[in-house]
Amino acid sequence: MPRKVDHQARRTLIADALMRVAAERGLEAVSFRHVAAEAGVSTGMVQHYFGNKDEVMAFALDVVRERGEARVTAAVERLGQDPPPRLLLRTIIAALLPLNDQTRADGRMALAFLAYTAVRPQLAPALRDDTAQMVGFIAGLLPGPDAGTAAAGLLALMEGLGVYLLGGQYTAEQALAVLDDQLDRLFARSG
Amino acid sequence: MPRKVDHQARRTLIADALMRVAAERGLEAVSFRHVAAEAGVSTGMVQHYFGNKDEVMAFALDVVRERGEARVTAAVERLGQDPPPRLLLRTIIAALLPLNDQTRADGRMALAFLAYTAVRPQLAPALRDDTAQMVGFIAGLLPGPDAGTAAAGLLALMEGLGVYLLGGQYTAEQALAVLDDQLDRLFARSG
């Protein structure tokens, strides 16, 4: 009887190794050789499952995005039914900011993907759809006539806070103070 | 008579090659071999002038930073004597945003440096000093009792706009609309 290969399990094994290596060395510096060594498989097998570097980067971003969505969902569920828009926004953004070790590791990978994509425009459309969707969602929660622009600003503020948290320019306390200050300003119009 | 080596000229030659390769391939992907090929010198010579990858990254960031400062100085000089704080801030931030091809190339390098630094905390202190200085400067121009937090927010907003301009999520027009909207909000307090 031929040995049956569990492709899903093998892919998961390699993917987990990839994320560990990326968290340690930086996503951009990850090579098939590093991932193979970490997973205990051959370089050829990593190549078989991931094809090329673009696919590795896109895969890692998907993992990071899914973890972010899971964190947001869990945080929003803890708020209970119909939370006020300001609290909902604050909760979502805080869940996405790199405020602890796990979210910092994810944030570093997202940043590496952004830097990688900035010189490879063919990968950018996926980012654009995500951002547009997020701006639309935030705009629906903000008061005022020009909620679209305000939402685009709040999302950019979140992105910048993420960058400065990862670089150590802002502490978690400072970043949350900036977020609250901005939410005060955005919701002052309606109050 | 021994041939005299012009070290400054040679370093400039290699540095220019480095910046060209970085603009095309992405700073993170730059190797001594690429730079040597572009400059038409040996890999050993590039190593002699740049030592290691950290130094290459720090050097590229210095070049990008100096170009940014030169753009800001030129833009502020065009405003004439004693421009109003809002116009001064808008001019400085617009000069630093990646709104055209040259500033986009610089922005991509800054982003690559941030991603690189996020996994190498030993390089971060330089970034922290820059950011703290900038927050202090902006705070001095903003009205209101909590200008420090508002300034930290405006700088984070600028950083996020830069990331989204480089990724193509926001157009130049959208980014400037967001900036103006935020400045309206920040200066509304005093008006």
Side-chain angles (χ1 to χ4, degrees), chain A residues 28 118 152 159 164 170 182, chain B residues 28 108 118 152 159 164 170 182:
Chain A
E28 177 63 46
E159 193 71 42
Y164 288 160
Y170 292 179
Q182 181 70 2
Chain B
E28 176 63 47
R108 282 193 293 268
E159 194 71 43
Y164 288 160
Y170 291 0
Q182 182 70 2

Side-chain angles (χ1 to χ4, degrees), chain A:
Chain A
M1 204 174 100
R3 197 164 56 99
K4 223 175 127 190
V5 176
D6 184 342
H7 285 289
Q8 187 56 41
R10 194 176 268 174
R11 197 183 151 88
T12 302
L13 173 83
I14 296 173
D16 288 348
L18 164 65
M19 298 307 280
R20 284 197 302 275
V21 175
E24 195 182 311
R25 290 173 178 265
L27 181 56
E28 177 63 46
V30 166
S31 72
F32 287 146
R33 198 166 48 78
H34 297 142
V35 177
E38 176 77 20
V41 302
S42 70
T43 305
M45 191 178 292
V46 178
Q47 249 160 343
H48 172 73
Y49 281 95
F50 281 104
N52 63 40
K53 181 94 184 182
D54 283 7
E55 287 174 53
V56 168
M57 301 296 281
F59 173 82
L61 187 74
D62 273 345
V63 173
V64 165
R65 188 194 282 138
E66 278 164 27
R67 284 184 193 156
E69 281 169 11
R71 282 199 308 277
V72 167
T73 303
V76 169
E77 273 173 5
R78 282 194 293 274
L79 293 178
Q81 288 278 39
D82 295 324
R86 189 203 148 122
L87 177 63
L88 180 59
L89 267 178
R90 208 244 185 219
T91 303
I92 291 171
I93 293 173
L96 291 171
L97 284 176
L99 294 170
N100 62 40
D101 285 348
Q102 174 60 57
T103 51
R104 285 178 70 84
D106 284 3
R108 283 194 292 269
M109 273 184 254
L111 190 56
F113 187 85
L114 289 168
Y116 187 83
T117 306
V119 286
R120 291 165 190 86
Q122 72 274 13
L123 296 175
L127 292 177
R128 272 202 284 278
D129 294 347
D130 266 18
T131 305
Q133 210 179 329
M134 194 74 180
V135 168
F137 174 77
I138 294 174
L141 294 171
L142 290 177
D146 199 6
T149 303
L154 184 58
L155 198 64
L157 180 85
M158 179 187 92
E159 193 71 42
L161 288 177
V163 169
Y164 288 160
L165 282 163
L166 292 174
Q169 292 105 311
Y170 292 179
T171 63
E173 291 68 32
Q174 283 175 306
L176 290 173
V178 166
L179 174 60
D180 283 328
D181 185 53
Q182 181 70 2
L183 290 173
D184 283 349
R185 216 171 271 119
L186 291 169
F187 282 91
R189 284 179 174 177
S190 66

